[in-house]
Amino acid sequence: MTDRPLVKVENASCWFDVSGPWLERVLKRRSRIQLKAVNGVSFTVNKGETLALVGESGCGKSTVARLLVGLYTPTGGNIEFDGQPVSVLHTREGRQLRQRLQMIFQDPYASLNPRWRVARIIAEPLKVHGQLSREEREKRVDELLLHVGLSPTDRDRYPHQFSGGQRQRISIARALAARPEFLVCDEPTSALDVSVQAQVLNLMKKLQRDLGLTYLFISHNLAVVHHVADRVAVMYLGKIVELAPRDALFSQPRHPYTRMLLSAIPDTAGTGKRRIPVAGEVPNPLNPPSGCPFHPRCPYVRDICKQAMPATVTDGPAEVACHGVEQGWLSEEPVLTQPG
Ligand code: SF4
């Protein structure tokens, strides 16, 4: 792992226009409605590290993933990969860049073409980038199957002939085919059984060590994140509310939302620490609360929280967006958490 940022995201936003049809809006005198899926997000991912992005469903983490690989165009802000804007991914010059970043999707059942044999699935990116001869492609497919713990004899089988974990291994082999440096992994193990999850996570860690890969790892599961991440960014309603090195985040969570998420991890060690119960639901992003978006669920809420959006401040190794942290009064409150 190095301190050199491979990926740099500065104040990135992604808004979707979800207004009704024009005529209906005019007749009913309704204004346009914007869904702010991602709203002013900034972070870097250093070469060789794993940055995890966590949060409940609907917080905008998958939208960030899609922004990074160019599947969505940002409404505002900058996203750079190795010093180049990812907007070039859609141009002829961006072809080389496209090869260097790949995505692994959540559902290996849906992301593999059921009518293609494994060899064709894995070789497809090599064909698209068109750098290898047919023989070289065949050799590379065998190499990749071995890399992900499958056998070259699996090349002629179809996806339905494999288990869920094996299918995710095929997805990983396909993502690695063009020798990328950066993988965006969107909940890569959440569709798998717990025992299989651990095997796939271990494989991903091994591949990272062997091939020098950099990961953005998206998950709603903090136990999984603890296993793989070097740093963790916690998202809530389109914003990053806390970003810290993994150990600092798990041992001393600062933001009340991070504390709430950690409280949800089962206390298998039987520490008996007091917890923040996971209360309430993520508000409707079309009608977000005023001030701090977490205030309707926060046990530490004060008046200022309902009025002003907290700025992101540095607190020790962490960056946190919370008035209580910024003004110091949160540290006087009882810490209700269970860092496991
Ligand atoms: Fe809670 Fe206020 Fe901090 Fe928001 S700003 S997380 S409401 S203490």
Side-chain angles (χ1 to χ4, degrees):
M1 192 168 93
T2 69
D3 287 338
R4 183 165 79 81
L6 186 64
V7 177
K8 211 169 170 183
V9 178
E10 274 175 338
N11 207 18
S13 298
C14 188
W15 298 1
F16 298 99
D17 188 341
V18 291
S19 328
W22 173 80
L23 189 60
E24 191 185 309
R25 270 192 289 122
V26 171
L27 292 175
K28 295 187 178 168
R29 297 183 183 197
R30 288 196 184 138
S31 45
R32 284 192 172 280
I33 305 169
Q34 301 273 9
L35 173 72
K36 297 179 179 175
V38 173
N39 198 15
V41 159
S42 301
F43 61 86
T44 54
V45 192
N46 294 330
K47 201 166 165 40
E49 84 164 336
T50 300
L51 175 73
L53 212 50
V54 295
E56 286 161 293
S57 136
C59 69
K61 49 194 195 308
S62 291
T63 307
V64 171
R66 281 159 176 74
L67 284 171
L68 286 184
V69 294
L71 290 174
Y72 291 156
T73 306
T75 315
N78 292 315
I79 304 177
E80 285 181 7
F81 178 81
D82 208 9
Q84 294 186 67
V86 293
S87 51
V88 304
L89 285 170
H90 299 292
T91 64
R92 187 183 279 264
E93 300 76 56
R95 191 176 148 143
Q96 248 192 338
L97 195 67
R98 268 204 300 278
Q99 241 178 291
R100 296 173 64 195
L101 40 106
Q102 295 290 327
M103 186 155 174
I104 300 172
F105 294 92
Q106 174 176 7
D107 187 355
Y109 299 86
S111 64
L112 303 176
N113 188 331
R115 277 179 252 165
W116 286 9
R117 292 179 198 272
V118 165
R120 185 172 172 195
I121 291 172
I122 297 176
E124 181 64 8
L126 299 170
K127 224 169 153 188
V128 170
H129 295 295
Q131 288 165 338
L132 303 179
S133 67
R134 194 191 165 102
E135 290 71 37
E136 286 169 328
R137 282 204 302 270
E138 302 284 298
K139 205 170 145 222
R140 179 92 182 113
V141 167
D142 289 351
E143 235 175 65
L144 286 160
L145 282 167
L146 287 170
H147 256 325
V148 298
L150 295 172
S151 156
T153 56
D154 290 324
R155 52 181 301 127
D156 292 323
R157 298 167 71 198
Y158 289 95
H160 73 266
Q161 295 176 289
F162 293 88
S163 67
Q166 288 172 322
R167 279 187 243 205
Q168 197 54 297
R169 286 170 191 261
I170 297 167
S171 305
I172 294 170
R174 178 182 56 184
L176 294 176
R179 302 186 194 276
E181 292 161 56
F182 178 53
L183 287 184
V184 176
C185 315
D186 188 5
E187 304 259 11
T189 58
S190 59
L192 307 175
D193 292 345
V194 175
S195 59
V196 181
Q197 276 188 18
Q199 292 167 12
V200 173
L201 292 173
N202 287 338
L203 169 69
M204 291 181 67
K205 284 176 80 169
K206 181 179 180 310
L207 291 170
Q208 182 172 43
R209 277 195 308 274
D210 293 352
L211 307 173
L213 297 167
T214 304
Y215 292 146
L216 179 78
F217 193 97
I218 290 173
S219 181
H220 66 278
N221 183 338
L222 275 169
V224 167
V225 164
H226 188 265
H227 192 66
V228 295
D230 296 303
R231 287 187 303 141
V232 183
V234 180
M235 276 191 85
Y236 190 76
L237 224 57
K239 288 186 172 294
I240 290 179
V241 296
E242 179 161 3
L243 197 161
R246 178 197 58 186
D247 292 344
L249 186 117
F250 277 79
S251 61
Q252 199 190 340
R254 286 155 168 90
H255 196 282
Y257 180 55
T258 314
R259 295 180 184 185
M260 184 185 279
L261 289 179
L262 286 172
S263 288
I265 300 179
D267 183 9
T268 47
T271 59
K273 285 188 184 169
R274 292 174 65 200
R275 296 157 170 248
I276 298 180
V278 176
E281 288 185 3
V282 181
N284 181 354
L286 291 173
N287 186 21
S290 60
C292 169
F294 188 59
H295 87 250
R297 300 172 76 187
C298 183
Y300 308 111
V301 60
R302 293 193 182 182
D303 282 347
I304 187 177
C305 307
K306 298 174 188 168
Q307 290 148 14
M309 177 76 79
T312 301
V313 294
T314 303
D315 184 35
E319 289 165 35
V320 194
C322 170
H323 291 299
V325 173
E326 185 179 6
Q327 298 179 8
W329 46 261
L330 199 65
S331 53
E332 292 152 21
E333 301 281 354
V335 177
L336 307 171
T337 186
Q338 187 272 320

